[in-house]
Amino acid sequence: MYLVLLGAPGSGKGTAGKVIAEDLELAHISTGDLFRENLKNETELGKEAKQYMDKGELVPDEVTIKMLKDRLAKADVKNGAVLDGFPRTEVQAKCLDDMLNEMGTKVDMALNIDVPFDEIVERIANRRSCRGCSEIYNVVFNPPKVEGICDKCGGELYQREDQKPEVVENRLKVYSQSAEELINHYEKAGVLYNAKAGDSVGKTSFDIAKEVEEYIKNN
Ligand code: AMP
């Protein structure tokens, strides 16, 4: 099973994706995390990606697509994967269709999590990530047990460069530029699942994950 997560940065797709991947025993592949791992390890790929990431811009398609292709070839993808943050452009979506086609499979569901932008801006401002395992916390709604320390691995929590307000604004702009074509792509393929989340509808990322799992079970 291959599940693609659409939705703006800060929509909670990372959190929902991790829950779904764990429950359905799928690999969780986040291209943002893969880039950050390369950054931490100071690889050539990491150095190249950094200049785009720090500004909230997209890393060029050819670089991102190659990285994803290598990741999909790993053994833990045997049951399928939840793709978090890929595709982000229509070119990437078409490449993904081709890659999966070559593997004899396809995207089974594209989950589009829709959260109002004003809520997203506040959420990202409250967000902290673990330097060790990249677990995500919200200092208001989902704080760690000990301030500044990851519950899972004891790593240091920090605010990513691209979670700062001026970069967030640009990331949302970049997202808006390609959101519609991605949504149309998966709507045409008949695999789009729309979910509204956030305070205004009283639904968390965990609620969305459970709703989607229920839907998958019954379809
Ligand atoms: P994320 O954690 O998914 O918000 O990703 C962080 C950053 O990594 C993005 O702002 C981009 O600079 C880069 N990135 C992640 N995924 C992609 C992608 N599919 N295409 C291009 N750039 C990406």
Side-chain angles (χ1 to χ4, degrees):
M1 153 140 221
Y2 284 85
L3 199 150
V4 160
L5 300 177
L6 306 178
S11 61
K13 59 185 179 349
T15 307
K18 278 185 188 161
V19 174
I20 296 170
E22 204 175 310
D23 290 349
L24 302 186
E25 295 181 5
L26 302 170
H28 176 255
I29 301 179
S30 154
T31 41
D33 282 351
L34 290 175
F35 281 130
R36 282 184 285 278
E37 216 173 281
N38 275 280
L39 241 158
K40 199 162 93 181
N41 296 332
E42 296 180 0
T43 66
E44 280 309 309
L45 175 64
K47 281 181 209 157
E48 185 174 359
K50 183 174 165 38
Q51 50 183 315
Y52 300 97
M53 294 172 78
D54 281 352
K55 288 186 281 194
E57 301 286 344
L58 293 183
V59 178
D61 280 340
E62 71 221 57
V63 178
T64 311
I65 288 165
K66 181 177 181 311
M67 180 179 73
L68 182 82
K69 199 167 185 175
D70 292 346
R71 180 65 187 85
L72 283 178
K74 299 232 160 111
D76 66 323
V77 188
K78 62 182 188 310
N79 291 337
V82 174
L83 300 183
D84 173 0
F86 190 100
R88 273 216 181 45
T89 62
E90 206 183 3
V91 172
Q92 292 183 7
K94 286 183 176 155
C95 274
L96 178 64
D97 289 344
D98 292 345
M99 276 187 246
L100 293 182
N101 195 18
E102 268 173 37
M103 292 160 65
T105 183
K106 61 174 178 45
V107 171
D108 298 286
M109 182 194 259
L111 168 62
N112 179 36
I113 305 184
D114 183 13
V115 178
F117 272 18
D118 50 350
E119 266 189 57
I120 284 187
V121 171
E122 195 183 325
R123 262 192 206 193
I124 299 186
N126 291 334
R127 193 173 257 198
R128 299 294 178 271
S129 307
C130 174
R131 281 196 199 279
C133 68
S134 64
E135 185 72 8
I136 298 164
Y137 295 86
N138 179 302
V139 291
V140 181
F141 300 112
N142 175 31
K145 293 195 182 88
V146 180
E147 196 187 322
I149 308 282
C150 177
D151 293 347
K152 282 205 170 161
C153 76
E156 181 202 356
L157 302 185
Y158 75 112
Q159 186 175 42
R160 278 172 17 203
E161 193 56 40
D162 66 356
Q163 288 167 344
K164 304 205 163 138
E166 55 288 4
V167 184
V168 169
E169 201 179 304
N170 196 36
R171 287 168 72 201
L172 290 175
K173 203 169 90 195
V174 167
Y175 162 77
S176 302
Q177 281 160 359
S178 57
E180 202 177 307
E181 63 189 31
L182 282 176
I183 289 169
N184 288 342
H185 181 90
Y186 289 112
E187 190 161 33
K188 259 193 233 152
V191 295
L192 184 69
Y193 182 101
N194 281 307
K196 280 196 185 301
D199 295 341
S200 51
V201 288
K203 274 192 192 168
T204 66
S205 317
F206 293 100
D207 299 328
I208 300 295
K210 296 298 164 192
E211 181 183 313
V212 166
E213 286 173 20
E214 197 59 32
Y215 177 85
I216 291 172
K217 215 164 53 183
N218 297 324
N219 282 277

